[in-house]
Amino acid sequence: MLSKVYSAGVVGIDGFEVAVECSAWDRVPRFELVGLPDTAVKEAKGRVRSACENSGFVFPELDIMINLAPADVKKEGSAFDLAIITAILQCDRILPSDFDFSGCALVGELSLSGEVRAVGGVLPMTLAARASGRREIFVPLDNADEAAVVDGITVYGVRTLRELINHIRGVELIKPRRFDASKFDLTSHIGEVDFADVRGQLKAKRALEIAAAGGHNVLMIGPPGAGKSMLAKRLATILPDMSFEEAVETTKIHSVNGTLRSSLVTERPFRSPHHTVSVPGLVGGGAYPRPGEISLSHNGVLFLDELPEFTKSVTEALRQPLEDSVVTVTRAAAKVTYPASFMLVCAMNPCKCGYFGDSTRQCRCTPQARSKYLERVSGPLLDRIDIEIELPAVSYNEISGKTKMGEPSSEIRKRVNASRRFTDERLAKAGDKTGTLNAKMTTEQLRRHCVLDEEASTLMREAFESLGLSARGHDRVLRVARTIADLDGEERITADHVAEAIMYRSLDRKYWRK
């Protein structure tokens, strides 16, 4: 007796199809499972037997061999339970032997009582099933909305094993789950924080608006209580609307990581790991690599508060992902590449005590102590930061509420969205791919989209020489200037745009290059 059904696994954030083959013989009962299964997959033997018997069916007393193909790819997790028991029951004729499983896939973990439990990675598994030509997929009921996001495949949410068997037998059909786009609004943002809460710091607000419009990395330097963390947390409220493709890609990452709280991520992530985070915690790792903080912040913001307190190995690990927008994690069991296109936002004090340069409090640090503190932030990392802002201490009038309230996040976000639309229109006119962030422009795109007139070029040359900019620093000034021009709705970059961009690159000279 032989049967074959289909399931799916996950490597990185991408799904792959798994053929579950079952062969059974009428001889001494035995249950063998092969195909590079991990411990969780091997333990399926106990789960499927108990689930079958507690669902009112007799588990076949046969010599059973299950193969998970392709056999040379490691299988991990409990998502194969549903496919394994289905293949066994078809071999034993409990399910119709003539039922054609070639058009469907089955994903889900079984409890001992026969309930079908949710699993991680259902979205990429569903995408893999559709890519392999499957027309239907059976998933746990709690994962049905997530799977239904994928167009072109019929999704059935299964509550119990008995419910699945009744559907296959035609006794009681399960209703397909449909994706309801009206439940998800990618253009709204409802949060507990708002830029209107922030008093003063107009320069910092302007810089963060530019950063949000162009996807630029930011460093904020200022004394304790200046509002660095407060501003960073509110940055998420002015980020541009997500596209559906961005939402799906972000959802895949959180689905695989087991941190998905709804069927579709509709708001850009904001991740703020503690400074004690390890390198694997930041870039990803584990025996079977899982996404780290930089991948969980993909299409959003990674905020590092108290930047010098992070270990050197952690901050240096950011350099390659910031350039390539991907991170590759290599382990003995697997080599996985995760997307890592994020905005890096950092905050730090100007010295250990925090009051160097403050007009209201005296710094207690020696020059040597200040230098040692600042040296924790490397030059190559600074070179990858587009915008640097110095935040002064907040005045009494500002903190007591005697100054005018600032703009709400909703108004700033409108300008950011308008800037992104202008950028896309400009790129489309030049025949470039839309959706490209100014911060991610290639050298060739810089030549096409960042042409300077004589006045702006002269200003850039003077800044390059006086600030000691590297080639990378020069290009980052151009990218920021391009974003400022886009916010103004200008095709041409003027000297004013360049001057403002240069202003956001001068702090590393003040603190690090004396």
Side-chain angles (χ1 to χ4, degrees):
M1 293 175 284
L2 183 67
S3 65
K4 182 178 182 180
V5 301
Y6 295 93
S7 186
V10 176
V11 173
I13 65 166
D14 296 317
F16 66 96
E17 185 173 69
V18 175
V20 180
E21 302 168 330
C22 178
S23 184
W25 299 272
D26 190 9
R27 55 196 188 197
V28 178
R30 190 180 59 155
F31 194 161
E32 191 95 18
L33 203 158
V34 297
L36 280 185
D38 73 349
T39 302
V41 180
K42 291 177 181 177
E43 290 174 348
K45 292 187 287 187
R47 290 193 298 270
V48 299
R49 179 185 294 275
S50 177
C52 179
E53 292 177 349
N54 286 319
S55 297
F57 304 98
V58 177
F59 191 82
E61 293 297 321
L62 300 170
D63 183 0
I64 298 170
M65 170 69 76
I66 296 287
N67 178 48
L68 306 178
D72 60 344
V73 178
K74 189 76 174 178
K75 318 299 185 309
E76 59 172 326
S78 55
F80 305 108
D81 290 6
L82 207 58
I84 289 171
I85 189 61
T86 302
I88 291 171
L89 293 180
Q90 190 176 40
C91 258
D92 196 40
R93 312 266 194 239
I94 293 176
L95 293 177
S97 58
D98 59 347
F99 187 89
D100 185 10
F101 282 100
S102 63
C104 65
L106 300 103
V107 171
E109 175 188 331
L110 285 171
S111 71
L112 299 184
S113 64
E115 294 180 354
V116 182
R117 289 175 171 160
V119 294
V122 165
L123 179 57
M125 289 179 190
T126 306
L127 289 166
R130 185 187 65 178
S132 299
R134 309 303 154 209
R135 301 179 300 276
E136 300 176 341
I137 186 167
F138 295 86
V139 301
L141 184 63
D142 291 340
N143 293 123
D145 287 334
E146 177 187 343
V149 171
V150 181
D151 192 24
I153 187 169
T154 304
V155 176
Y156 295 99
V158 183
R159 184 181 289 105
T160 64
L161 175 60
R162 173 171 282 279
E163 189 177 71
L164 173 65
I165 292 173
N166 286 340
H167 175 89
I168 294 171
R169 286 174 165 177
V171 175
E172 187 177 354
L173 298 181
I174 303 170
K175 291 183 179 179
R177 183 62 61 96
R178 308 294 182 189
F179 176 64
D180 187 358
S182 63
K183 292 182 179 179
F184 305 97
D185 187 359
L186 300 176
T187 65
S188 67
H189 182 91
I190 301 174
E192 297 178 356
V193 296
D194 196 284
F195 259 81
D197 304 332
V198 183
R199 302 280 184 170
Q201 305 296 10
L202 297 180
K203 179 182 174 182
K205 290 179 183 178
R206 166 68 174 172
L208 290 178
E209 180 180 338
I210 295 168
H216 301 286
N217 303 323
V218 181
L219 171 65
M220 294 182 285
I221 305 177
K228 303 184 294 294
S229 300
M230 186 180 187
L231 283 163
K233 291 173 182 177
R234 282 155 179 77
L235 176 60
T237 66
I238 66 169
L239 293 177
D241 303 332
M242 295 183 79
S243 66
F244 184 75
E245 291 74 20
E246 287 177 320
V248 169
E249 189 174 35
T250 306
T251 302
K252 285 171 64 178
I253 298 170
H254 289 266
S255 175
V256 168
N257 196 58
T259 54
L260 189 63
R261 292 183 174 83
S262 66
S263 56
L264 187 68
V265 176
T266 59
E267 294 181 0
R268 296 185 181 275
F270 181 89
R271 306 288 297 187
S272 180
H274 192 260
H275 65 260
T276 56
V277 66
S278 64
V279 173
L282 187 74
V283 302
Y288 300 99
R290 284 285 182 263
E293 290 291 337
I294 61 175
S295 293
L296 294 173
S297 59
H298 179 64
N299 290 324
V301 173
L302 176 66
F303 176 47
L304 303 184
D305 202 2
E306 303 296 344
L307 178 63
E309 301 301 328
F310 286 81
T311 62
K312 200 70 171 276
S313 58
V314 166
T315 56
E316 292 303 289
L318 289 167
R319 289 162 54 178
Q320 179 264 332
L322 285 172
E323 287 295 312
D324 301 337
S325 298
V326 295
V327 59
T328 300
V329 182
T330 304
R331 295 292 184 269
K335 179 180 179 180
V336 177
T337 297
Y338 291 114
S341 180
F342 58 93
M343 283 177 59
L344 176 65
V345 179
C346 305
M348 61 178 287
N349 296 331
C351 63
K352 188 70 175 177
C353 76
Y355 296 105
F356 176 65
D358 189 2
S359 59
T360 60
R361 297 187 63 172
Q362 185 175 0
C363 175
R364 303 188 304 272
C365 302
T366 64
Q368 293 80 6
R370 284 198 298 271
S371 178
K372 185 177 180 181
Y373 180 76
L374 294 172
E375 283 174 359
R376 297 181 185 178
V377 183
S378 70
L381 180 61
L382 287 172
D383 226 18
R384 288 166 170 79
I385 293 176
D386 306 347
I387 296 175
E388 301 165 351
I389 325 161
E390 189 170 29
L391 278 68
V394 183
S395 69
Y396 174 76
N397 285 340
E398 290 170 334
I399 203 169
S400 63
K402 294 180 179 179
T403 57
K404 185 179 178 181
M405 287 284 289
E407 271 189 301
S409 295
S410 57
E411 292 301 313
I412 302 174
R413 196 179 194 194
K414 287 178 183 177
R415 292 198 297 271
V416 170
N417 279 321
S419 174
R420 288 286 181 100
R421 288 193 295 270
F422 184 87
T423 301
D424 282 344
E425 291 168 4
R426 174 173 51 76
L427 291 168
K429 288 178 184 177
D432 284 345
K433 180 183 177 182
T434 59
T436 301
L437 297 175
N438 286 337
K440 304 292 184 183
M441 281 194 293
T442 64
T443 303
E444 181 60 32
Q445 288 174 323
L446 279 174
R447 293 194 188 100
R448 287 200 300 270
H449 298 285
C450 299
V451 178
L452 305 181
D453 58 24
E454 186 175 350
E455 183 182 2
S457 182
T458 300
L459 184 59
M460 176 63 84
R461 184 184 303 109
E462 292 174 352
F464 184 82
E465 294 172 354
S466 62
L467 295 178
L469 295 176
S470 66
R472 183 184 284 115
H474 168 273
D475 289 351
R476 293 195 181 280
V477 170
L478 281 181
R479 292 184 177 101
V480 174
R482 180 65 269 173
T483 300
I484 296 170
D486 287 351
L487 276 167
D488 290 343
E490 296 283 349
E491 292 275 359
R492 186 172 61 93
I493 298 176
T494 67
D496 289 341
H497 299 142
V498 173
E500 186 175 1
I502 291 169
M503 180 179 67
Y504 298 127
R505 285 293 303 179
S506 59
L507 286 187
D508 58 340
R509 182 175 177 84
K510 176 178 178 180
Y511 288 100
W512 285 274
R513 304 179 187 177
K514 297 181 180 179

